[in-house]
Coordinates of all heavy atoms in Angstrom, one line a residue:
K24 N -194.5 50.1 71.3 CA -195.6 50.1 72.3 C -196.8 49.5 71.7 O -197.5 48.7 72.3 CB -195.8 51.4 72.9 CG -194.8 51.9 73.8 CD -195.1 53.3 74.4 CE -194.0 53.8 75.3 NZ -194.4 55.1 75.8
E25 N -197.1 49.8 70.4 CA -198.3 49.3 69.7 C -198.1 47.8 69.5 O -199.1 47.0 69.7 CB -198.4 50.0 68.3 CG -199.6 49.6 67.6 CD -200.9 50.2 68.0 OE1 -200.9 51.1 68.9 OE2 -202.0 49.8 67.5
V26 N -197.0 47.3 69.1 CA -196.7 45.9 69.0 C -197.0 45.2 70.3 O -197.7 44.2 70.4 CB -195.3 45.6 68.5 CG1 -194.9 44.1 68.6 CG2 -195.1 46.1 67.1
F27 N -196.4 45.8 71.4 CA -196.5 45.2 72.7 C -198.0 45.2 73.2 O -198.4 44.3 73.9 CB -195.6 45.9 73.7 CG -194.2 45.6 73.6 CD1 -193.2 46.2 74.3 CD2 -193.7 44.6 72.7 CE1 -191.9 45.9 74.2 CE2 -192.4 44.3 72.6 CZ -191.4 45.0 73.3
R28 N -198.7 46.2 72.8 CA -200.1 46.2 73.2 C -200.9 45.0 72.8 O -201.8 44.5 73.4 CB -200.8 47.5 72.6 CG -202.1 47.8 73.1 CD -202.7 49.0 72.6 NE -203.7 48.6 71.6 CZ -204.1 49.4 70.6 NH1 -203.7 50.6 70.5 NH2 -205.0 48.9 69.8
Y29 N -200.5 44.5 71.6 CA -201.2 43.3 71.1 C -200.5 42.0 71.5 O -201.2 40.9 71.6 CB -201.3 43.3 69.6 CG -202.1 44.4 69.0 CD1 -201.6 45.5 68.3 CD2 -203.5 44.4 69.3 CE1 -202.4 46.5 67.9 CE2 -204.3 45.5 68.8 CZ -203.8 46.5 68.1 OH -204.6 47.5 67.7
V30 N -199.2 42.0 71.8 CA -198.5 40.8 72.2 C -199.0 40.4 73.6 O -199.2 39.2 73.9 CB -197.0 41.0 72.2 CG1 -196.3 39.8 72.8 CG2 -196.5 41.2 70.7
A31 N -199.1 41.3 74.5 CA -199.4 41.0 75.9 C -200.6 40.2 76.1 O -200.6 39.2 76.8 CB -199.5 42.3 76.7
P32 N -201.8 40.5 75.4 CA -202.9 39.6 75.5 C -203.0 38.4 74.5 O -204.0 37.7 74.4 CB -204.1 40.5 75.3 CG -203.6 41.6 74.4 CD -202.1 41.7 74.7
G33 N -201.9 38.2 73.8 CA -201.9 37.1 72.9 C -202.6 37.3 71.6 O -203.2 36.3 71.0
Q34 N -202.6 38.5 71.0 CA -203.4 38.8 69.9 C -202.6 39.1 68.6 O -203.2 39.5 67.6 CB -204.3 40.0 70.2 CG -205.3 39.8 71.3 CD -206.0 41.0 71.7 OE1 -205.5 42.1 71.6 NE2 -207.2 40.9 72.2
L35 N -201.3 39.0 68.7 CA -200.4 39.4 67.5 C -199.9 38.1 66.9 O -199.3 37.2 67.6 CB -199.3 40.3 68.0 CG -198.6 41.0 66.8 CD1 -199.6 42.0 66.2 CD2 -197.4 41.8 67.3
Y36 N -200.0 38.0 65.6 CA -199.5 36.8 64.9 C -198.6 37.2 63.7 O -198.8 38.2 63.1 CB -200.8 36.1 64.3 CG -201.6 35.4 65.4 CD1 -202.5 36.1 66.2 CD2 -201.4 34.1 65.7 CE1 -203.2 35.6 67.2 CE2 -202.1 33.5 66.8 CZ -203.0 34.2 67.5 OH -203.7 33.6 68.5
A37 N -197.7 36.3 63.4 CA -196.8 36.5 62.3 C -197.2 35.5 61.2 O -197.3 34.3 61.4 CB -195.3 36.2 62.7
R38 N -197.4 36.0 60.0 CA -197.9 35.2 58.9 C -196.7 34.5 58.2 O -195.7 35.1 58.0 CB -198.6 36.2 57.9 CG -199.1 35.4 56.7 CD -199.6 36.4 55.6 NE -200.0 35.7 54.4 CZ -201.2 35.7 53.9 NH1 -202.1 36.3 54.5 NH2 -201.4 35.0 52.8
E39 N -197.0 33.3 57.9 CA -196.0 32.5 57.1 C -196.2 32.8 55.6 O -197.3 33.3 55.2 CB -196.2 31.0 57.3 CG -195.8 30.5 58.6 CD -195.9 29.0 58.7 OE1 -196.5 28.3 57.9 OE2 -195.2 28.4 59.6
N40 N -195.3 32.5 54.8 CA -195.4 32.7 53.3 C -195.8 34.1 53.0 O -196.9 34.3 52.4 CB -196.3 31.7 52.7 CG -195.8 30.3 53.0 OD1 -194.6 30.0 53.0 ND2 -196.8 29.4 53.2
N41 N -195.1 35.1 53.4 CA -195.5 36.4 53.4 C -194.9 37.2 52.2 O -194.2 38.2 52.4 CB -195.1 37.1 54.7 CG -195.6 38.5 54.8 OD1 -196.7 38.8 54.4 ND2 -194.7 39.4 55.3
E42 N -195.0 36.8 51.0 CA -194.5 37.5 49.9 C -195.3 38.7 49.4 O -194.8 39.7 49.0 CB -194.3 36.5 48.7 CG -193.3 35.5 48.8 CD -193.8 34.3 49.6 OE1 -195.0 33.9 49.4 OE2 -193.0 33.7 50.3
T43 N -196.6 38.6 49.6 CA -197.5 39.7 49.0 C -198.4 40.3 50.0 O -199.1 41.2 49.7 CB -198.4 39.1 47.9 OG1 -199.2 38.0 48.5 CG2 -197.6 38.5 46.8
C44 N -198.3 40.0 51.3 CA -199.2 40.5 52.3 C -198.5 41.0 53.5 O -197.3 40.8 53.7 CB -200.2 39.4 52.7 SG -201.9 39.9 52.5
H45 N -199.2 41.6 54.4 CA -198.6 42.0 55.7 C -198.0 40.8 56.4 O -198.6 39.7 56.4 CB -199.6 42.7 56.6 CG -200.0 44.0 56.1 ND1 -199.3 45.2 56.3 CD2 -201.0 44.4 55.3 CE1 -199.9 46.2 55.8 NE2 -200.9 45.8 55.1
F46 N -197.0 41.1 57.2 CA -196.3 40.0 58.0 C -197.1 39.9 59.3 O -197.3 38.8 59.8 CB -194.9 40.4 58.2 CG -194.2 39.6 59.3 CD1 -193.9 38.3 59.0 CD2 -193.7 40.2 60.5 CE1 -193.2 37.5 60.0 CE2 -193.1 39.4 61.4 CZ -192.8 38.1 61.1
V47 N -197.5 41.0 59.9 CA -198.1 40.9 61.3 C -199.6 41.2 61.2 O -200.0 42.1 60.5 CB -197.4 42.0 62.2 CG1 -198.0 41.9 63.6 CG2 -195.9 41.7 62.3
W48 N -200.3 40.3 61.9 CA -201.8 40.4 61.9 C -202.3 40.4 63.4 O -201.6 39.8 64.2 CB -202.3 39.2 61.2 CG -202.1 39.2 59.7 CD1 -200.9 39.0 59.1 CD2 -203.0 39.5 58.7 NE1 -201.0 39.2 57.8 CE2 -202.3 39.5 57.5 CE3 -204.3 39.9 58.7 CZ2 -202.9 39.7 56.3 CZ3 -204.9 40.1 57.4 CH2 -204.2 40.1 56.3
V49 N -203.4 41.0 63.6 CA -204.0 41.1 64.9 C -205.3 40.2 64.8 O -206.0 40.3 63.9 CB -204.4 42.5 65.3 CG1 -205.1 42.5 66.6 CG2 -203.2 43.4 65.4
Y50 N -205.4 39.3 65.8 CA -206.6 38.5 65.9 C -207.1 38.5 67.3 O -206.4 38.2 68.2 CB -206.3 37.0 65.5 CG -207.5 36.1 65.6 CD1 -208.6 36.3 64.8 CD2 -207.5 35.0 66.4 CE1 -209.7 35.5 64.9 CE2 -208.6 34.2 66.6 CZ -209.7 34.4 65.8 OH -210.8 33.6 65.9

Side-chain angles (χ1 to χ4, degrees):
K24 287 179 181 180
E25 183 79 3
V26 169
F27 286 174
R28 189 178 104 199
Y29 295 114
V30 171
Q34 298 171 332
L35 198 66
Y36 290 81
R38 180 186 175 119
E39 289 187 342
N40 301 325
N41 182 43
E42 290 85 32
T43 60
C44 232
H45 288 276
F46 169 67
V47 179
W48 292 73
V49 177
Y50 179 61

